[in-house]
Amino acid sequence: MWFFKVPEFYFGEDALSQLTLLNGKRAFIVTDPGIVQLGFVDKVRELLETAAFQIAVFAEVEPNPSLQTVRRGAQAMLDFQPDWIIGLGGGSSMDAAKAMWILYERPDIQPDAINPFDELGLRQKARLLCIPTTAGTGSEANYGIVLTDTEEKRKLTLGTREATPDMAIVDPFFTAHLPRQITADTGIDVLTHAIEAYTCNWANDFTDGLCLQAARMVFTYLPRAVASGAADMEAREKMANAATIAGMTLGNSQVALAHALGHSAGAIFKEIPHGRITAIFLPLTIEYIGNGNNGRYLDIARAIGIPAEDEATAATLLAQAVRNLLREIGQPTNLHEAGVDKQAFEDALPLMCEHVEVDANTIMSPRIPDMTEIEQLFRYAYHGQTVDF
Amino acid sequence: MGIPFGTDEWIQALHNELNNSDAYRKAAEKWEGDFYFVVDNGDGNPTYLYLDLWHGQSREACFVQDPSEKSPEFILSGPLDTWRKIVEKKLDPIRALMTRQLKLKGNMMKIMKVPKAATELVECCTRIDTEWPE
Ligand SMILES: [Zn+2]
């Protein structure tokens, strides 16, 4: 037995106009200062006012939102008493909105008690709508929540199926003018989500097709979106959709080893964005899993038009195709290129390996590396070598 | 002949497998907690197996006649059929919990900190030559 849980989606040009049809009285927008500056909050406010909404805005979400921020936002919600929560922004704003909403509904619980096993009984006070302004995290499509406990200096990966947004609006308007670098950093994460969700231990019939479609779309449209930006709105729209499609697979399926490696390296080399650092590990994990004969890469290879005959060649060719795509969109293919200092890397290596070993995503991998192999994977990632073990 | 599931002999066998597993020891090195595994046999007489895990080792394992004998930190319960799927590695225990096929009393977050230990514990179960009731 398994489940498949996703929001109701509105997507494509003018999807945002759906806001004027929203039923409710009081909307609470969770976002960050950059989104306010871009005028996106005003745009959303305008449409909601057409629908006679009273509106409050919490625009203090920081990158890697903290528990403290979440508690402040939840308090503001308790004061305002909204019936709709709107997460507007990238993964940080949407994740913060999910967590604030949960604490607004259940002020009696602690954020780190948000888990997929206990029933929380949400939606007594409000519903959740997410509007992504980047094309990458896919947080609008699933129940995952990543927060940072700044006091204890640790990342909390939380979630409950009940935190799946009721609705998500995916409008390419928001990503039209996304800077080139952010387009590449967030867009490549879509591919990592799609490939990992297709090959991990939780892969299932309901998510498989979504993974293949998202992977196909990234190979076709990400180079165009990076190269042409707002001049190629078709590519923008397709990438926005691909991000959400891959986002649907997370929680229903999972991400795996590349994310475990990416999380632990990213926690140390904080200046490298999540999508960029995780994608460096993607081709290595494809080769590693392929070498163990544990992959399902032939389907993916065929979906993106790689002429592979069997699993072994599919893994090799797919890893190569990923590296080529990274180069094409100007992303690093190894940690050295990403600006990681050799000595800093050596110093961090034991801790990074330890974190990978206990990361919940590691055991999602169809081939689980031991400590020696984890260290090797990091070393190979430093120079971008082909995995031969 | 295999070892019948739900017996003192079976949980002892798991105790031995755990204490012989390097992978389990490493994965659970920093973890401690004791369990009741409650098997609902569908006859109103659930089976209680007690397991005390301590820093990568099993300290005690036994069949318990009267559940008031111990007061473990965690109680994991489910129907016999679900246990069978888990022990035979056909069902991931985390997914069993998420779909409420298996129920846990105790601090879930403490368990979620050592996902690898849970996987290795299941590995140990698969190594027992288990006999199932008809
Ligand atoms: Zn990701």
Side-chain angles (χ1 to χ4, degrees), chain B residues 30 75-76 79 97:
Chain B
K30 293 175 187 137
I75 301 174
L76 206 48
L97 284 162

Side-chain angles (χ1 to χ4, degrees), chain A residues 189 193 259 274 278:
Chain A
D189 202 29
H193 294 164
H259 270 78
H274 165 79
T278 305

Side-chain angles (χ1 to χ4, degrees), chain A residues 136-137 189-190 192-193 196 250 255 259 263 274-275 278:
Chain A
T137 78
D189 202 29
V190 177
T192 315
H193 294 164
E196 294 217 291
L250 309 185
V255 288
H259 270 78
H263 284 153
H274 165 79
T278 305

Side-chain angles (χ1 to χ4, degrees), chain A residues 147-193:
Chain A
L147 300 177
T148 302
D149 185 338
T150 44
E151 273 156 27
E152 289 186 30
K153 291 195 188 347
R154 62 186 175 124
K155 275 227 157 134
L156 302 168
T157 307
L158 310 168
T160 159
R161 244 177 355 239
E162 290 174 70
T164 307
D166 294 275
M167 192 190 287
I169 296 179
V170 186
D171 192 320
F173 159 80
F174 292 106
T175 51
H177 297 281
L178 201 64
R180 184 192 164 97
Q181 186 61 57
I182 300 177
T183 302
D185 286 335
T186 50
I188 198 64
D189 202 29
V190 177
L191 183 66
T192 315
H193 294 164

Side-chain angles (χ1 to χ4, degrees), chain A residues 37-84:
Chain A
Q37 240 171 20
L38 286 165
F40 292 169
V41 172
D42 286 340
K43 173 102 181 166
V44 167
R45 182 199 290 273
E46 212 176 279
L47 292 167
L48 285 169
E49 277 169 355
T50 316
F53 268 89
Q54 297 280 311
I55 295 152
V57 179
F58 181 94
E60 296 164 40
V61 179
E62 70 274 43
N64 307 313
S66 68
L67 286 181
Q68 293 79 352
T69 302
V70 164
R71 287 204 178 91
R72 265 191 300 130
Q75 187 53 53
M77 282 179 191
L78 283 164
D79 296 340
F80 183 72
Q81 292 289 316
D83 52 14
W84 274 101

Side-chain angles (χ1 to χ4, degrees), chain B residues 8-77:
Chain B
D8 193 62
E9 202 189 350
W10 190 89
I11 195 75
Q12 283 292 337
L14 178 58
H15 167 92
N16 293 335
E17 288 293 345
L18 287 167
N19 288 341
N20 285 328
S21 164
D22 271 351
Y24 174 74
R25 184 175 46 72
K26 276 173 72 184
E29 220 164 21
K30 293 175 187 137
W31 200 86
E32 61 196 54
D34 58 347
F35 286 87
Y36 266 156
F37 296 138
V38 185
V39 185
D40 177 358
N41 301 302
D43 59 0
N45 280 316
T47 303
Y48 290 83
L49 299 174
Y50 177 76
L51 187 65
D52 182 6
L53 301 173
W54 184 262
H55 297 254
Q57 294 281 308
S58 165
R59 283 201 301 198
E60 192 190 343
C62 59
F63 171 88
V64 174
Q65 195 68 256
D66 172 6
S68 65
E69 262 179 52
K70 311 255 186 199
S71 48
E73 191 179 348
F74 299 100
I75 301 174
L76 206 48
S77 30

